[in-house]
């Protein structure tokens, strides 16, 4: 486990606890908050660890019910060191893409701004379809990076998107986001575009950071969406039971 990322360490510790009989097959794992306390990590880290175990077939996430142990041999679970989780990637994107937006606001020419506006329109059209991929969203962010005219910035931002697209844990969480109906937020991207058009570097930087912070919350909300929906159904059922005739 040496050199493993934090969520991978938690996944392996949790798998070892399952193998040791702390959580027998068929039982429900403790609440996310309890696991975070046990392993002294954040709840997003626990969520990434559970997704990794789900992908490995060690646990099953049942909407509205919880996370259930599937495999008593989970102690053999080993995560790959190269699989970076989405929250770690987003933390880096907030740092680098925020600064890239600020620099781009000072560097972009009118043609490059017009291209960014065209990409935003492409994103609007893509959102209106059933497309699961977010091609225009990636194009929007990488166009801003390339318009810094700084090859080092471009390299870092492109690498972060490659990590986002290649990580199986990140892909699974993004799949849950799309299944929950969440799509790229147009107004947040428009705010970035408008700040760049005004050549306001501070506003562009802050708009990009605010947008990516909301993406973090979007991921957290979407991975709880099924449980929240089940809770809403239970509340509505209770209301109907106790409604006056």
């Amino acid at each position: 486990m040496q050199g493993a990322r934090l969520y991978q360490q938690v996944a392996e510790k949790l798998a070892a606890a399952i193998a040791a009989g702390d959580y027998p097959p068929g039982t429900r794992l403790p609440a996310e908050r309890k696991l975070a306390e046990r392993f002294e990590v954040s709840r997003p880290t626990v969520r990434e660890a559970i997704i990794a175990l789900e992908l490995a077939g060690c646990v099953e996430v049942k909407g509205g019910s919880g996370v259930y142990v599937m495999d008593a041999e989970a102690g053999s679970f080993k995560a790959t060191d190269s699989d970076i989780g989405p929250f770690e990637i987003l933390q880096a994107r907030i740092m680098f893409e925020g600064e890239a937006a600020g620099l781009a606001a000072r560097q972009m020419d009118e043609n490059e701004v017009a291209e960014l506006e065209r990409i935003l329109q492409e994103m609007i059209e893509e959102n209106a379809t059933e497309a699961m991929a977010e091609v225009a969203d990636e194009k929007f962010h990488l166009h801003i990076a390339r318009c810094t005219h700084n090859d080092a910035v471009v390299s870092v931002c492109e690498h972060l998107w490659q990590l986002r697209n290649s990580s199986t844990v990140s892909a699974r969480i993004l799949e849950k986001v799309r299944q929950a109906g969440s799509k790229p937020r147009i107004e947040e991207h428009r705010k970035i575009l408008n700040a760049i058009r005004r050549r306001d570097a501070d506003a562009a930087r802050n708009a990009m950071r605010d947008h990516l912070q909301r993406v973090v919350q979007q991921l957290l909300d979407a991975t709880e969406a099924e449980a929240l929906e089940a809770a809403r159904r239970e509340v509505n059922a209770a209301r109907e039971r106790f409604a006056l005739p």
Side-chain angles (χ1 to χ4, degrees), residues 182-212:
S182 298
K183 295 183 178 181
R185 293 183 170 96
I186 300 303
E187 288 310 310
E188 292 174 14
H189 290 83
R190 194 185 305 281
K191 188 175 180 180
I192 297 167
L193 168 63
N194 289 340
I196 289 174
R197 183 185 285 116
R198 297 193 309 270
R199 312 301 182 186
D200 189 334
D202 288 340
R205 182 186 302 110
N206 291 333
M208 179 65 80
R209 287 175 175 170
D210 288 346
H211 161 59
L212 292 173

Side-chain angles (χ1 to χ4, degrees), residues 20-215:
D22 292 3
Y23 310 117
T27 62
R28 186 172 65 180
L29 290 180
E32 196 175 80
R33 177 179 56 81
K34 293 291 187 181
L35 291 173
E37 290 173 357
R38 172 171 179 170
F39 297 111
E40 298 181 332
V41 296
S42 68
R43 291 178 67 178
T45 298
V46 170
R47 196 162 302 176
E48 289 177 334
I50 288 172
I51 295 293
L53 291 172
E54 180 188 27
L55 287 167
C58 300
V59 301
E60 181 181 8
V61 180
K62 296 182 179 180
S65 180
V67 182
Y68 289 82
V69 177
M70 298 292 292
D71 185 1
E73 302 300 319
S76 61
F77 168 82
K78 296 294 179 185
T80 59
D81 288 348
S82 61
D83 208 11
I84 302 177
F87 296 105
E88 192 174 349
I89 294 169
L90 277 165
Q91 185 178 42
R93 287 184 61 199
I94 290 167
M95 294 170 58
F96 289 102
E97 290 195 36
E99 293 304 316
L103 181 56
R106 295 191 294 269
Q107 298 290 338
M108 290 175 77
D109 61 30
E110 291 302 321
N111 289 334
E112 290 169 332
V113 173
E115 175 63 11
L116 189 62
E117 189 163 12
R118 189 197 66 76
I119 295 170
L120 181 61
Q121 182 58 41
E122 188 178 322
M123 193 187 306
I124 293 170
E125 294 169 2
E126 188 174 80
N127 274 5
T129 72
E130 298 299 320
M132 297 298 283
E134 297 170 359
V135 176
D137 184 42
E138 181 172 349
K139 286 172 66 175
F140 184 93
H141 285 268
L142 292 183
H143 180 68
I144 290 173
R146 289 166 186 146
C147 289
T148 64
H149 304 291
N150 182 309
D151 288 344
V153 171
V154 175
S155 178
V156 169
C157 292
E158 286 181 344
H159 182 60
L160 288 171
W161 274 87
Q162 288 167 3
L163 290 174
R164 173 192 183 273
N165 295 335
S166 63
S167 164
T168 54
V169 171
S170 181
R172 178 59 177 147
I173 289 183
L174 289 169
E175 179 186 351
K176 288 177 180 287
V177 169
R178 289 190 288 268
Q179 288 173 345
S182 298
K183 295 183 178 181
R185 293 183 170 96
I186 300 303
E187 288 310 310
E188 292 174 14
H189 290 83
R190 194 185 305 281
K191 188 175 180 180
I192 297 167
L193 168 63
N194 289 340
I196 289 174
R197 183 185 285 116
R198 297 193 309 270
R199 312 301 182 186
D200 189 334
D202 288 340
R205 182 186 302 110
N206 291 333
M208 179 65 80
R209 287 175 175 170
D210 288 346
H211 161 59
L212 292 173
Q213 289 282 8
R214 289 189 178 95
V215 172

